[in-house]
Amino acid sequence: MGIRIDGKAVSAAFREKLKEDVARLTEQGMQPGLAVVIVGDDQASRVYVNNKKKACQQLGIYSEEYALPGETTEEELLELVNRLNNRSQIHGILVQLPLPRHIREKVVLEAIDPRKDVDAFHPQNVGRIMIGDYRFLPCTPAGILELIRSTGVPVEGKECVVIGRSNIVGKPMAMLMLHQNATVTICHSRTKDLAEVARRADILIVAIGKAKFVGADMVKPGALVIDVGMDRDENGKLCGDVDYEAVEPVAGYITPVPGGVGPMTISMLMKNTVTAAEMALEAAKGC
């Protein structure tokens, strides 16, 4: 049976260290500050925002929420982002996605100061990830790295297969594994013989958005399996992109859904906010 990777436990240990970092910065007069902007009444987004606020409170991070009506114009949202860019008390800015259809996500994300882009979606930060000279990492891929580290399984020299090529998870995840000296293959909807490719993986990372897509026949015995999915099965029960019950007996390590990748994502957002505050402190010292 595969060893279950407990994302809640890994996240809790990670946050204990973050508390110390927040306290240290606050003592130096630089309490990390995060602004979260939500537009409209998407219920899933509201849950995410509430969880982020709760995490800030637990860690001692100053936070502000801007809940804007769905009819907010793109211009109004950009004006708010600009104000937050110029607020010294705010070190991280997060605009919760998705945005209403009349607002262009690309324009809004590019308006965020790259030094405050704690989601790491700005093209400048994306480029830094590509060349390995990054300040922030996208929260979900960064959380996955921590989960892999928690197993003690070395990444260097291993064959890693990433199923999914999104800008949020798949692409940056592949780059990060490459920086860890893994040999990386990215699979997607047009990949031929996907199951055969997946079976080569020592480390299999699945972020495709299809409930229980990966079965035991797609997993190499003893592989480390990371399930990024958040889906509903035929009975409406929360599940991942991996058929956990089928794959667990084959895998060496495996993340559950829920309780795997999810808790780490918010922890890494908090980490990025702390990093942004550290950057601001260094800049202030250099003045």
Side-chain angles (χ1 to χ4, degrees), residues 35-50 52-53 64-70 72 77 80 84 94-100 103:
V36 180
V37 181
I38 180 172
V39 184
D41 56 1
D42 182 88
Q43 291 305 304
S45 292
R46 170 46 59 190
V47 171
Y48 292 144
V49 167
N50 288 345
K52 290 163 185 173
K53 288 169 59 180
E64 294 180 355
E65 177 190 319
Y66 295 84
L68 308 180
T72 298
L77 180 55
L80 172 59
L84 295 172
L94 183 147
V95 177
Q96 183 66 45
L97 304 179
L99 292 169
I103 298 177

Side-chain angles (χ1 to χ4, degrees), residues 192-232:
K192 294 182 179 179
D193 301 321
L194 193 154
E196 182 179 340
V197 176
R199 279 195 299 271
R200 299 202 307 255
D202 300 305
I203 301 172
L204 180 63
I205 301 169
V206 189
I208 200 169
K210 294 183 179 180
K212 299 182 178 180
F213 178 81
V214 171
D217 63 324
M218 298 177 67
V219 177
K220 178 181 181 179
L224 193 162
V225 180
I226 302 289
D227 187 353
V228 187
M230 190 66 70
D231 313 299
R232 297 282 177 180

Side-chain angles (χ1 to χ4, degrees), residues 1-8 244 248 252-260:
M1 298 291 285
I3 298 173
R4 181 177 180 270
I5 303 173
D6 189 340
K8 291 182 179 179
Y244 186 90
E248 184 186 21
Y253 292 87
I254 185 170
T255 58
V257 176

